[in-house]
């Protein structure tokens, strides 16, 4: 009897784990893993690194940089420097600056030159 109860507990745990893995990766709504990848891709597309080219959505309102290929017609600016700190200014060699906070890193200013 004890063996049967132990076996039932093991089967229930394995079944629950299998269902979690299945649901995480293949649920009809796209799966949690796909949603996490999509959110990560969105963050990566809007979090440029030095040397990346970007196009800027709403440059005079709430600017949002989107990383694009430097050879594309969409490329407007190239990121030259990231100045840490809130309300920092870009040097005179830069054409455009954005005060930026991506939610995971601290506040900083993105400094761009025209492409």
């Amino acid at each position: 009897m004890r063996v049967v109860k132990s076996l039932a507990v093991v089967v229930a745990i394995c079944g629950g784990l299998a269902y979690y893995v299945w649901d995480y990766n293949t649920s009809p709504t796209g799966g949690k893993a796909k949603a996490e990848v999509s959110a990560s891709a969105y963050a990566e597309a809007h979090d440029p690194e030095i040397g990346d080219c970007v196009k800027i959505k709403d440059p005079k309102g709430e600017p949002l940089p989107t990383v694009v290929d430097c050879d594309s017609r969409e490329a407007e600016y190239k990121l030259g420097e990231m100045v840490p700190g809130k309300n920092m200014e870009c040097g005179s060699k830069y054409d455009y600056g954005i005060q930026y906070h991506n939610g995971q890193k601290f506040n900083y200013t993105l400094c761009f030159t025209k492409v």
Side-chain angles (χ1 to χ4, degrees), residues 1-90:
M1 186 63 139
R2 202 173 214 183
V3 172
V4 173
K5 286 182 182 179
S6 297
L7 186 60
V9 169
V10 169
V11 168
I13 290 172
C14 289
L17 183 60
Y19 175 77
Y20 174 78
V21 169
W22 173 83
D23 182 56
Y24 186 82
N25 291 305
T26 63
S27 87
T29 60
K32 295 173 189 168
K34 291 179 183 175
E36 288 173 0
V37 167
S38 177
S40 175
Y42 176 84
E44 186 175 304
H46 299 291
D47 192 17
E49 299 292 325
I50 292 176
D52 285 346
C53 291
V54 299
K55 66 179 180 177
I56 307 290
K57 180 181 177 186
D58 194 17
K60 294 190 172 144
E62 293 184 27
L64 178 65
T66 301
V67 177
V68 296
D69 188 338
C70 288
D71 295 329
S72 77
R73 297 180 70 188
E74 294 182 306
E76 298 173 320
Y77 297 98
K78 187 170 190 172
L79 181 58
E81 187 176 359
M82 298 171 71
V83 182
K86 199 171 189 176
N87 299 321
M88 300 300 289
E89 296 291 324
C90 293

Side-chain angles (χ1 to χ4, degrees), residues 73-110:
R73 297 180 70 188
E74 294 182 306
E76 298 173 320
Y77 297 98
K78 187 170 190 172
L79 181 58
E81 187 176 359
M82 298 171 71
V83 182
K86 199 171 189 176
N87 299 321
M88 300 300 289
E89 296 291 324
C90 293
S92 61
K93 67 181 180 177
Y94 297 106
D95 299 308
Y96 185 67
I98 298 175
Q99 302 295 316
Y100 195 70
H101 178 76
N102 73 354
Q104 296 174 349
K105 296 180 183 176
F106 54 89
N107 292 316
Y108 51 97
T109 300
L110 302 176

